[in-house]
Amino acid sequence: MKVSVITLVHGRHAHLATQQQALLRSSRLPDDYVIVAMDDPGVAASFPDPRLPGTVVELPRTGTALPLAKARNAGARAALQRGADLLLFLDVDCLPGPDLVAGYVAAATDDAASARLLCGPVTYLDPPGPQGYCLDRLSDLDSPHPARPAPLPGEIFPDDNPDLFWSLSFAVTAETWNRIGGFCEDYTGYGGEDTDFARLAGRAGAGLAWVGAARAYHQFHPTQDPPVQHVADIVRNANLFHARWGSWPMGGWLQGFRDRGLIEGGHGTTPCTLADHVGRPA
């Protein structure tokens, strides 16, 4: 089975370099590494690491929002053209545990999981010390996010709740990807496109499967909860999701924005809008 790791990047070059160092410590190395550089022409000059066979796909940005959904499709398309049997999507901030690649491969050959979206537990790391994260001891930091299932290594739990899917770390066979048809490229910027993809997968008969061995570790970076820096993207994408599926995604974030007076609507049949005092993107 040829495994292609697909990573999107815009900035965060230090995180990308550390991810590659972690991949090189894998018990099962990936066969290919596709980096999609979103409006980031500096990536191709430095990546991928020469010890990892791979390529960089250049994807210019149109408009103000990063084309995350389009970039994932572009990465998948490049990986499939290069012969991938298993597409392994890993956020640029995520460090693979030593058995992540092997764990996804094992799940992709398991009769009960192979036709599903394969998802691994993710630990959100504290800021690193002066020497960075010790990549040889990532498992010592294991504390998976409590909002998602976290089976033990060696365990695989089927799950049919599409709202639990996240695109930080997941794998899908080429056959299942083609059956789903990829991400909806009408989504731009942050939020909603991954939940939409999981709904498309469910419609195509592909639920989720949580893979205990496929553990990842999310490198620290400053953020906000709810992510107010992405409020305009989230409002736009939430309305698109509601138009497509008749329900509202990202409910916790929308409520958080309402509590702060940043948005109105986004519940029932009321469209989601930015509050008058919130600046619109150019």
Side-chain angles (χ1 to χ4, degrees):
M1 174 175 285
K2 183 173 181 178
V3 182
S4 181
V5 171
I6 301 167
T7 297
L8 316 185
V9 62
H10 173 78
R12 305 262 172 94
H13 292 189
H15 281 191
L16 179 61
T18 307
Q19 180 188 95
Q20 291 178 115
Q21 293 304 307
L23 276 172
L24 287 166
R25 289 165 166 79
S26 297
S27 60
R28 201 282 198 193
L29 289 173
D31 302 290
D32 197 20
Y33 189 35
V34 176
I35 300 170
V36 184
M38 300 179 293
D39 196 29
D40 193 342
V43 170
S46 303
F47 301 99
D49 187 291
R51 292 169 292 177
L52 290 168
T55 189
V56 174
V57 176
E58 301 277 5
L59 188 65
R61 173 163 52 180
T62 57
T64 60
L66 288 173
L68 298 174
K70 184 176 181 179
R72 292 194 185 97
N73 288 346
R77 186 162 53 249
L80 293 170
Q81 290 171 350
R82 292 163 64 85
D85 301 302
L86 183 66
L87 308 177
L88 198 170
F89 291 83
L90 197 62
D91 189 278
V92 68
D93 297 322
C94 282
L95 304 174
D99 295 323
L100 178 140
V101 177
Y104 277 137
V105 169
T109 57
D110 181 283
D111 289 343
S114 61
R116 292 174 172 264
L117 298 180
L118 309 174
C119 305
V122 177
T123 292
Y124 278 77
L125 298 175
D126 292 329
Q131 305 303 315
Y133 299 112
C134 180
L135 300 182
D136 294 318
R137 302 190 64 179
L138 283 177
S139 59
D140 292 350
L141 305 175
D142 194 65
S143 181
H145 194 288
R148 299 293 190 279
L152 295 174
E155 296 180 334
I156 300 174
F157 289 172
D159 187 340
D160 291 321
N161 183 355
D163 293 338
L164 292 181
F165 174 75
W166 54 11
S167 55
L168 286 175
S169 171
F170 78 98
V172 59
T173 65
E175 179 182 355
T176 300
W177 172 270
N178 287 329
R179 191 168 77 249
I180 297 168
F183 286 77
C184 173
E185 295 186 7
D186 293 338
Y187 293 89
T188 56
Y190 188 81
E193 83 286 350
D194 45 1
T195 308
D196 186 285
F197 178 71
R199 294 289 181 94
L200 291 172
R203 192 166 68 185
L208 312 182
W210 292 91
V211 182
R215 297 176 113 76
Y217 301 85
H218 189 280
Q219 302 174 78
F220 176 84
H221 61 78
T223 189
Q224 296 174 282
D225 187 17
V228 297
Q229 71 274 30
H230 298 297
V231 63
D233 289 351
I234 290 170
V235 164
R236 181 182 59 251
N237 289 340
N239 284 323
L240 172 60
F241 186 96
H242 186 269
R244 284 168 58 80
W245 300 103
S247 61
W248 293 102
M250 305 174 284
W253 288 348
L254 294 183
Q255 185 60 52
F257 294 150
R258 283 192 292 269
D259 291 344
R260 288 161 175 78
L262 298 175
I263 69 168
E264 298 173 355
H267 48 71
T269 60
T270 306
C272 191
T273 58
L274 290 171
D276 289 340
H277 64 88
V278 178
R280 268 67 172 175

